[in-house]
Amino acid sequence: EDQACSLDDAFNLSFNTTINSVNGPGIVFSDIGLFDPSQVDTGMLYFDIESSEGCLNMDSLFMTGIVEPEILNLASIYCYKDTVINLQASPMGGSLFIDDVLQSSFNPTMISSGTHIVEYIYGAGNCEASDRVSFLVSDPLNVDADASVDTLCPGELVRISASPSGGLIGADYEIDWGSQLGFGQVHYVSPPVPSSYIVSLSDGCSETVFDTLDILLHNDFTVSLNYGPRVCAGEETYVELNTTPSGNYNYLVNGLVSSDVYYDYPGLLDIVVTNATNGCIKRLNAELPGYGPIGASYIKFPAGCIQTNDDPTLISDQSNGSISGSWFLNGQFYGDFTFETYERI
C-alpha cells in the first residue's frame, strides 16, 4: 500500500502503465497525474486511471498526517540483571532504536552500564516524527572478600570482611556468608583446618555476585615436657622441652631466652615456644619439681618458763614444710612426732 504525507509538495503519481489521464481527489493535471497533498484530507484516496491503450483501472493512495509517537512503559533505571526488556511504542508500525542501533529489546547485562537513549520514529518524509527517552543501567554488583592474614597459626583468630560496590543506586546491600557464618560484612573466624568461605552480595534487584576467600593454616607443632628429679629448696632441677616435628624453634622461660633444656630452682614457669619459620607460638605453664622450705616452730601453754612442778605444759608443733620431726628438750632427744601432734611434758 502506497503512502504519502499531507505536508509533501505536489508530485506526479506513478503507475505501472502509461497513462492518458488520472482523475480523483487532489489531482491538479489529470493528463500527467500531478497530485497536490495539501488539497485532500488524511485517509484512503482512490483514483480512476485511463491507460494509453484506453483501458480503465483504479488505484489507491493512503494519506497520512503527522502523528506524535510515544515510547511506552520504559523505566528510568534498570538493574544490571540477565533479563530481556521488550520495548513498546505507539502507534505500531514505526522503528525503535537504542543508541542509534535498530533494536526493539535489550538485556542490561549485554549493554554497558550508564545512560542510553531510546528513539522511536514513526511516519516518513515530512510526516516523520519521533520520541526520545533516556534510561540508566546501573553498575554491576561487585564483592571482594579479604582477610587480615591469609595463612593462620592453628587456633589463631582472623578478621574476614566483604567489600561491596556497584548495584542499584540507593539500594541496601545484603552480604551473606552462607550457613557457616550468616549475614554481615565482617566476621572473626578460627578454622580448625584450611577452609574456603564463599560470600554473596545482592541488592534485591541486580544479578547476585559471589567471591571466595581461602584461609590456609601453618603446620602445627607440639611441645612435651620431661622433668628432672624433685629437689630440696635451694637446689636446682630442670625441664626438657621436646618439640615435634623437629625444626627451628625459639624458647622463652619466664621472659628469659633459653635452650630446649631449662635449669632453675623449683617453682612455676611460663614457657613460650616460637616456630622461627612461621612465627606460630605455644604457651605452656609448668612447675619445676621440688620440696618447699622447712620451718621449725612451736607454741606452749602456759607461756613462760616450763615449771618443774607437777603442772603439765602443753607444747604444740607449728612447723611448716615437713611431715615429721623430733622433739629435743635441753638438747636431749625426747621423741618423734608427726605434723600437728601434741605432746605433754
Side-chain angles (χ1 to χ4, degrees):
E1 180 180 281
D2 293 329
Q3 294 187 12
C5 174
S6 61
L7 299 180
D8 288 344
D9 295 331
F11 62 93
N12 292 328
L13 296 176
S14 177
F15 303 99
N16 293 328
T17 184
T18 305
I19 63 170
N20 270 342
S21 64
V22 178
N23 294 292
I27 296 298
V28 179
F29 295 106
S30 62
D31 56 340
I32 60 174
L34 182 63
F35 172 73
D36 185 0
S38 65
Q39 298 184 13
V40 298
D41 295 329
T42 59
M44 188 66 72
L45 305 179
Y46 295 95
F47 303 95
D48 295 322
I49 304 167
E50 181 183 349
S51 70
S52 58
E53 291 85 8
C55 297
L56 299 177
N57 203 347
M58 180 177 285
D59 208 342
S60 63
L61 177 68
F62 187 79
M63 290 299 301
T64 64
I66 291 182
V67 177
E68 295 297 335
E70 182 181 7
I71 298 169
L72 305 174
N73 304 322
L74 186 69
S76 59
I77 299 177
Y78 287 93
C79 300
Y80 190 89
K81 187 175 184 179
D82 186 12
T83 186
V84 175
I85 308 297
N86 293 309
L87 300 176
Q88 298 177 343
S90 176
M92 297 177 62
S95 300
L96 280 162
F97 297 84
I98 300 178
D99 299 332
D100 297 325
V101 177
L102 181 65
Q103 60 187 99
S104 60
S105 64
F106 68 95
N107 186 325
T109 63
M110 302 299 292
I111 63 176
S112 61
S113 57
T115 301
H116 300 271
I117 302 296
V118 176
E119 183 176 22
Y120 182 58
I121 299 176
Y122 183 81
N126 292 327
C127 286
E128 180 181 290
S130 65
D131 186 22
R132 291 168 60 91
V133 180
S134 66
F135 68 92
L136 177 70
V137 174
S138 63
D139 292 331
L141 283 173
N142 183 69
V143 61
D144 292 318
D146 196 16
S148 52
V149 293
D150 59 5
T151 304
L152 305 179
C153 297
E156 192 174 19
L157 198 66
V158 63
R159 179 185 186 272
I160 63 174
S161 61
S163 300
S165 62
L168 187 64
I169 297 174
D172 292 328
Y173 290 134
E174 184 177 275
I175 301 172
D176 186 6
W177 295 85
S179 59
Q180 287 177 295
L181 301 174
F183 298 97
Q185 187 172 358
V186 176
H187 289 277
Y188 291 86
V189 297
S190 180
V193 295
S195 301
S196 294
Y197 298 91
I198 300 175
V199 62
S200 67
L201 173 66
S202 62
D203 61 5
C205 184
S206 306
E207 201 78 13
T208 300
V209 293
F210 302 85
D211 196 17
T212 300
L213 179 64
D214 294 322
I215 299 297
L216 305 178
L217 292 183
H218 291 299
N219 292 330
D220 199 4
F221 66 94
T222 60
V223 181
S224 61
L225 306 178
N226 292 331
Y227 294 98
R230 188 176 188 185
V231 296
C232 296
E235 296 179 343
E236 285 191 348
T237 186
Y238 63 88
V239 60
E240 293 179 344
L241 308 174
N242 298 316
T243 309
T244 305
S246 60
N248 186 12
Y249 299 94
N250 298 325
Y251 304 93
L252 284 178
V253 181
N254 290 344
L256 302 175
V257 176
S258 173
S259 66
D260 56 356
V261 180
Y262 179 77
Y263 290 87
D264 205 345
Y265 301 109
L268 298 177
L269 303 178
D270 178 30
I271 302 172
V272 179
V273 182
T274 304
N275 186 324
T277 302
N278 54 39
C280 294
I281 65 173
K282 295 280 188 182
R283 291 186 177 273
L284 303 93
N285 293 318
E287 184 175 4
L288 288 177
Y291 300 99
I294 296 175
S297 179
Y298 66 88
I299 60 174
K300 64 186 181 64
F301 184 81
C305 297
I306 298 175
Q307 303 297 321
T308 57
N309 56 26
D310 291 336
D311 294 333
T313 297
L314 179 64
I315 299 176
S316 174
D317 172 48
Q318 299 294 305
S319 302
N320 57 71
S322 64
I323 59 174
S324 65
S326 300
W327 291 104
F328 290 84
L329 184 62
N330 294 330
Q332 299 296 318
F333 176 73
Y334 182 76
D336 295 324
F337 72 96
T338 56
F339 184 60
E340 292 187 347
T341 62
Y342 293 86
E343 298 288 343
R344 282 181 178 274
I345 299 179

